[in-house]
Amino acid sequence: MITNEAISSNDQREVKIVLLIAAFVILLATFFNQLPGGMIGALGAMVIVGFILNYLGDRTPIINQFFGGGAIVVIFGSSYLFHSGFLSGDIEKQITTFTKSGGFLSFYVASLVTGSILGMSTDTLKKAALKYIPVILGAVAISFLFAGVIGLFFGKNMFESLMLIALPIMGGGMGAGAVPLVEIMSGRTGMDAASLMSQMVPALAIGNAIAIVIAGLLNKVGQMKPTWTGNGELIRGNAEAIEDKSTSNDSLDVKKLGMGALIAISMFFLGTLLSTVISMHTYALMILSIALIKVSGLMPERLEKAAHAWYTFVVSNLTPALLVGIGVAYTDLNQIIDALTPMYFIMVFATVLGAAVGAGIVGRMMGFYPIESAITGGLCMANMGGTGDVAVLAASKRMQLMPFAQISSRIGGAFMLILATFAIQLLA
C-alpha cells in the first residue's frame, strides 16, 4: 500500500484515483474467482484489501484512538472477510501460501531488521544490548505472577495456570514455541500431545489478539504521558538513536532501493546458513550477525543508507498487505471465539498485561522508556512470534523497534523452552 508519507501532497489525489481503479478491478476479479495464480494474484488482493481496511480503521472513532487503528482492523477484518466466505475461492489459499511458504513474512522481517539495525546509531546498539535481557526476564516474572494469582482465584492449580496458559503465551509463537513446548511436556509428563496442543493454541491466539489491542492502548498512553515514551526510541535521553541514513534528494533512488533489498536478502541468507551449524533460530542469528557488522563498522555508510532506505520503503508500502496475510493465514476467529470464556479471557489477559507491566518497570530501571520496553520486551514476548511482532508494532506505530521485538520472540522464546524443562520437574 502507498501511504501519504511515501508520496508528496501534490500526488496524493492521483495515487488515490489509481488505487480506487485498481481496487475495483481486483475486487471484481476476486468476486468472480478470476484472480491470476501465484504471487501476483495474492499480493494484488492483499494490497487492496489492506488499503481499504487500513483506511477505514484509521478513521473509525475509538478504534483509531485506543485500539491500534488500521492495523487491528486489517488483521481481524481480513480474517473475517476470507474465513466467512465473503471473499472466497482460491484467493484465500494463494494468500496463505504466499505469506507462509512463499516467504513474504520472512522477506518483510528481514527488510525491517536489516534496515532498522543498520540505521541505528552504534552507541545506541551497544547501550541497549546488555540491558535488554533483564527487561525480558522482568516480563516473564510478572506475567507468571499475574497468571498464578488469577489462576488461584479461579481455583486453578499452578500447573494449569503457568504451564498451559502463561508459558505457551510467553513461549515465542507456534512453530518455535508451542510445538517444541508440547514435545517437551508430553515426553516428560506422559500427557497426550494433541490434548496439550488443543489447550495451548487458544491461549496463543487470544493472547496475540490482546497484545495487539494493548499495543494500541500503549500508543495512546504515550500521547497522554509524553515522558513515558521515546516515540519509537528505546533508550531515554538518547537523541541520536536513529542516524540519518537517507536524505530528501536520494532516499527513493531506484538503485539505492535495489541495493538495500539485496542487503536485506543477503542477511537472511547469512542467518539461514548459520542456523545449519548453530542451534538457534534464523532470525536470531540474523540479528546477531547484523549487529556485529554494525558495531564493527564493516559495512560502508552508503550501504547502510541503502538498507535503511529499503526499510523505509517496505514499511510505508507493504505493511497493510502483510497484515492481511497475517489475518488470513494466522488468525482464526472461530478458534478465538470458541475459547473465549470469561475465566479463560481474564487469565490470558492477566498474563499479557503482566508481561507489559514487568517489561515496562524493569525497562525504566534499565534506562529505557517504559512504553517502548513494555511493547518490545513484554508484548512481543506474549504474541505469536514474527507475525505477532509485526501486528503489535504496527498497532503501536513503532515499526523501527523490530530488532528488539525479534530478540524477544526468538531469543526470549528459546529461553522459555529451557525454563519449561525445569518448571515441569517442579509442577508436573
Side-chain angles (χ1 to χ4, degrees), residues 262-292:
L262 181 59
I263 293 171
I265 293 170
S266 299
M267 292 298 100
F268 183 80
F269 273 47
L270 179 59
T272 303
L273 289 171
L274 290 174
S275 68
T276 61
V277 294
I278 302 175
S279 183
M280 290 179 65
H281 195 281
T282 297
Y283 288 165
L285 292 169
M286 180 176 65
I287 292 169
L288 294 174
S289 300
I290 300 169
L292 288 174

Side-chain angles (χ1 to χ4, degrees), residues 26 34-48 91 94-95 98:
I26 292 175
Q34 294 298 317
L35 276 178
M39 170 183 169
I40 189 169
L43 188 58
M46 291 164 73
V47 168
I48 295 304
I91 183 60
Q94 288 177 238
I95 291 176
F98 179 55

Side-chain angles (χ1 to χ4, degrees), residues 189-353:
T189 65
M191 298 178 68
D192 179 63
S195 175
L196 286 171
M197 185 63 74
S198 67
Q199 295 180 70
M200 291 182 183
V201 169
L204 283 170
I206 296 173
N208 190 62
I210 292 173
I212 296 169
V213 173
I214 293 179
L217 292 173
L218 284 178
N219 180 55
K220 185 64 176 178
V221 171
Q223 295 172 10
M224 296 186 293
K225 297 283 188 179
T227 58
W228 290 12
T229 179
N231 296 309
E233 176 187 326
L234 185 63
I235 300 178
R236 294 202 311 271
N238 192 23
E240 303 299 325
I242 302 295
E243 297 177 338
D244 184 10
K245 292 297 180 187
S246 61
T247 65
S248 59
N249 294 328
D250 62 359
S251 60
L252 293 180
D253 178 81
V254 175
K255 290 184 178 180
K256 173 182 285 188
L257 292 177
M259 193 180 303
L262 181 59
I263 293 171
I265 293 170
S266 299
M267 292 298 100
F268 183 80
F269 273 47
L270 179 59
T272 303
L273 289 171
L274 290 174
S275 68
T276 61
V277 294
I278 302 175
S279 183
M280 290 179 65
H281 195 281
T282 297
Y283 288 165
L285 292 169
M286 180 176 65
I287 292 169
L288 294 174
S289 300
I290 300 169
L292 288 174
I293 291 171
K294 174 66 180 180
V295 171
S296 64
L298 292 176
M299 185 165 293
E301 185 177 359
R302 63 187 180 87
L303 296 184
E304 291 184 350
K305 288 183 177 180
H308 191 261
W310 175 247
Y311 148 84
T312 304
F313 175 84
V314 168
V315 170
S316 299
N317 292 278
L318 296 181
T319 299
L322 180 64
L323 294 179
V324 172
I326 292 173
V328 175
Y330 294 96
T331 307
D332 189 336
L333 292 180
N334 291 328
Q335 187 180 73
I336 294 175
I337 293 171
D338 290 343
L340 205 55
T341 64
M343 180 193 69
Y344 199 84
F345 176 83
I346 292 172
M347 291 190 66
V348 174
F349 178 81
T351 301
V352 179
L353 180 64

Side-chain angles (χ1 to χ4, degrees), residues 228-234 369-377 398 401:
W228 290 12
T229 179
N231 296 309
E233 176 187 326
L234 185 63
Y369 284 104
I371 296 293
E372 276 68 21
S373 57
I375 291 170
T376 56
R398 286 164 172 79
L401 293 173

Side-chain angles (χ1 to χ4, degrees), residues 21-31 35 41 43-48:
I21 294 173
F24 176 77
V25 173
I26 292 175
L27 291 177
L28 191 65
T30 301
F31 277 116
L35 276 178
L43 188 58
M46 291 164 73
V47 168
I48 295 304

